[in-house]
Amino acid sequence: MAATMEARWLEAFSAILDGSHLFQPDGLATAVDAALAPLGIDATIYLVDEEQRVLCPVPRPGAPLPPPQPVETTAAGRAFAMVTSKPRGDGGWCVPMVNGTDRLGVVEFEIGEAEPEVRDGSLRARCETLAGLIGHLVTVTSHKGDFLAQVRRSRSMTPAAELLRQLLPPLTSACDRMVISAILEPCYDVGGDGFDYAIDGARARIVILDAVGHGLAASLACGVAMSALRAVRRDGGDLRAQARAADTALTEQFPDSRFVTAVLAELDLEAGRLRYINAGHPRPLLLRTGRVVHDLAAGRRMPLGVHDDVEVAEEDLEGGDRLLLYTDGVTEARDAAGEEFGVRRLIDLTERHASAGLPAPETLRRLAHAVAEHQGGAPADDATLVLAEWSPVAALRSAPYQQRLT
């Protein structure tokens, strides 16, 4: 019977894979349903909303639409937050759905009237493997249409936000030695904040940017700077060459002298040597054993777009160190009384979340929400956070289904 059940699961996986080449975004959930029906399993796909507060169900034709599930108060939300599967009362599972280590949402597997053989000890592992496949297919099929993007949105996105978000890499990426995670708020009306990274071989490159001004002009300036940095980086240029290329691109494209503050960093994943340039940006914070030990104050030059050149600064990291980069929209966010969120509050919250052992993307989600709650109303500026942790443990902590890996 075990071999027969194994074959039936294989048929389900094959049915999804065989049809995936022609999937449209609005047909993915239906295809998963059809593949799992012979097993007596029902799968509901939830995508996290742009604000990362609510898990939104993906509609299926002919099926009732379940309500959204808050991240903070539901089993599905806890599965998403901690990247760890949570059991359901019916014997099924709430399984985090990722693409690589980028959190996309959750898949709820309902067992219902399935045969007893379906409920064997390997059910969780099979559901987790299937959720991983669905996560990859969500990423691939999203670019074919607007359906899945619409599921995640609660209101309209401005042209500036739409432009910039198409340029950004996934919010989280990891290798066996480190994890990089980022978050950008507000989701629907960003100005000129952005981030980028690349992990190749024994090097990880990280960039955070903040273009002066707001709206479409600021998004364009951020996009120009990011594209110039990428082009030179991919051509083998070092940090100083990348910065000079961004200077030139901005001065050529914007006669009104528009500039972009930024931190350009490069980490040697073998030796832990961090090299960086700070172009007029807030100083990154270095955390060690869960505490902020100091900020990175060297390597300063004028913002990108104002031609300048400095020696690249260096810092030796220790295993497990975290580097937190942020834009001034985080620390300068004000409440109704005019009090700033401030660096001290950012440090206190970061240390508290570090002591709780949260995955990097969950740490940033909670920090971003704390900034939003401090402001209360509409933000006056973008708030972007990037967290990089040089640690194999951190990579596993941000990987899906960590309880099976640790």
Side-chain angles (χ1 to χ4, degrees), residues 2-153:
T4 302
M5 183 56 60
E6 192 74 30
R8 291 169 64 187
W9 274 98
L10 181 59
E11 288 175 4
F13 280 95
S14 296
I16 296 171
L17 282 170
D18 289 346
S20 64
H21 308 288
L22 300 179
F23 282 166
Q24 292 179 234
D26 56 346
L28 176 58
T30 302
V32 172
D33 272 352
L36 292 179
L39 292 167
I41 296 177
D42 180 76
T44 303
I45 302 172
Y46 290 86
L47 296 176
V48 70
D49 69 341
E50 293 285 355
E51 298 93 329
Q52 295 195 34
R53 294 182 181 274
V54 176
L55 294 164
C56 305
V58 176
R60 295 173 288 177
L65 188 67
Q69 300 203 46
V71 171
E72 303 294 345
T73 59
T74 62
R78 290 189 291 275
F80 171 82
M82 301 308 294
V83 207
T84 302
S85 300
K86 300 295 181 181
R88 286 172 48 96
D90 64 351
W93 289 92
C94 299
V95 181
M97 179 177 60
V98 300
N99 182 44
T101 51
D102 189 29
R103 303 184 302 179
L104 303 176
V106 167
V107 183
E108 278 198 347
F109 294 95
E110 181 180 352
I111 304 306
E113 301 299 323
E115 300 170 12
E117 290 81 3
V118 174
R119 305 170 185 267
D120 65 13
S122 62
L123 174 63
R124 173 182 175 178
R126 286 167 172 160
C127 289
E128 289 173 344
T129 302
L130 183 54
L133 173 60
I134 295 170
H136 287 301
L137 293 178
V138 164
T139 302
V140 171
T141 58
S142 290
H143 301 293
K144 293 183 179 180
D146 297 328
F147 177 78
L148 296 176
Q150 291 168 337
V151 170
R152 299 187 60 192
R153 296 185 182 184

Side-chain angles (χ1 to χ4, degrees), residues 240 275-278 298-301 309-314:
R240 293 172 68 184
R275 306 177 72 252
Y276 67 95
I277 291 174
N278 188 327
R300 297 193 68 84
R301 53 151 282 171
D309 201 10
V310 295
E311 291 300 317
V312 176
E314 295 188 353

Side-chain angles (χ1 to χ4, degrees), residues 221-222 224-225 245-255 258-260 304-305:
C222 182
V224 167
D247 289 337
T248 300
L250 287 166
T251 55
E252 288 178 349
Q253 296 301 319
F254 298 98
R258 190 168 294 274
F259 62 85
V260 178
L304 303 178

Side-chain angles (χ1 to χ4, degrees), residues 54-391:
V54 176
L55 294 164
C56 305
V58 176
R60 295 173 288 177
L65 188 67
Q69 300 203 46
V71 171
E72 303 294 345
T73 59
T74 62
R78 290 189 291 275
F80 171 82
M82 301 308 294
V83 207
T84 302
S85 300
K86 300 295 181 181
R88 286 172 48 96
D90 64 351
W93 289 92
C94 299
V95 181
M97 179 177 60
V98 300
N99 182 44
T101 51
D102 189 29
R103 303 184 302 179
L104 303 176
V106 167
V107 183
E108 278 198 347
F109 294 95
E110 181 180 352
I111 304 306
E113 301 299 323
E115 300 170 12
E117 290 81 3
V118 174
R119 305 170 185 267
D120 65 13
S122 62
L123 174 63
R124 173 182 175 178
R126 286 167 172 160
C127 289
E128 289 173 344
T129 302
L130 183 54
L133 173 60
I134 295 170
H136 287 301
L137 293 178
V138 164
T139 302
V140 171
T141 58
S142 290
H143 301 293
K144 293 183 179 180
D146 297 328
F147 177 78
L148 296 176
Q150 291 168 337
V151 170
R152 299 187 60 192
R153 296 185 182 184
S154 60
R155 60 187 177 92
S156 300
M157 188 170 285
T158 65
E162 196 74 66
L163 171 67
L164 193 52
R165 293 183 82 82
Q166 297 304 312
L167 298 177
L168 301 178
L171 294 181
T172 301
S173 187
C175 65
D176 60 352
R177 288 174 286 187
M178 80 170 304
V179 58
I180 301 173
S181 193
I183 193 166
L184 191 156
E185 294 281 354
C187 307
Y188 298 99
D189 188 19
V190 300
D193 280 13
F195 63 89
D196 195 21
Y197 58 79
I199 309 174
D200 295 293
R203 286 193 302 174
R205 281 72 64 95
I206 306 165
V207 177
I208 189 169
L209 308 105
D210 183 2
V212 66
H214 301 281
L216 190 56
S219 288
L220 287 169
C222 182
V224 167
M226 187 185 302
S227 298
L229 295 173
R230 281 178 178 168
V232 174
R233 184 186 75 210
R234 292 169 178 173
D235 200 35
D238 61 14
L239 294 179
R240 293 172 68 184
Q242 293 170 40
R244 289 194 293 267
D247 289 337
T248 300
L250 287 166
T251 55
E252 288 178 349
Q253 296 301 319
F254 298 98
D256 58 348
S257 301
R258 190 168 294 274
F259 62 85
V260 178
T261 71
V263 174
L264 287 64
E266 180 178 281
L267 176 62
D268 182 332
L269 296 176
E270 299 287 352
R273 176 64 56 86
L274 180 75
R275 306 177 72 252
Y276 67 95
I277 291 174
N278 188 327
H281 201 80
R283 297 174 179 178
L285 301 173
L286 179 63
L287 289 89
R288 181 165 294 153
T289 62
R291 308 290 294 180
V292 173
V293 291
H294 59 79
D295 59 25
L296 302 186
R300 297 193 68 84
R301 53 151 282 171
M302 297 295 288
L304 303 178
V306 181
H307 288 271
D308 194 7
D309 201 10
V310 295
E311 291 300 317
V312 176
E314 295 188 353
E315 180 84 18
D316 287 324
L317 303 190
E318 297 180 6
D321 281 359
R322 284 182 162 190
L323 184 67
L324 180 65
L325 303 93
Y326 60 94
T327 60
D328 59 13
V330 173
T331 52
E332 295 178 5
R334 297 179 182 273
D335 64 11
E339 181 183 357
E340 288 189 345
F341 189 81
V343 175
R344 184 68 258 169
R345 197 189 314 260
L346 175 63
I347 290 173
D348 289 344
L349 285 172
T350 302
E351 291 178 343
R352 187 185 311 169
H353 295 324
S355 66
L358 296 177
E362 183 60 16
T363 295
L364 292 193
R365 190 185 75 88
R366 297 189 186 191
L367 287 175
H369 289 176
V371 174
E373 288 159 9
H374 177 79
Q375 293 178 107
D381 196 6
D382 300 350
T384 299
L385 295 146
V386 177
L387 184 62
E389 185 168 357
W390 181 47
S391 162

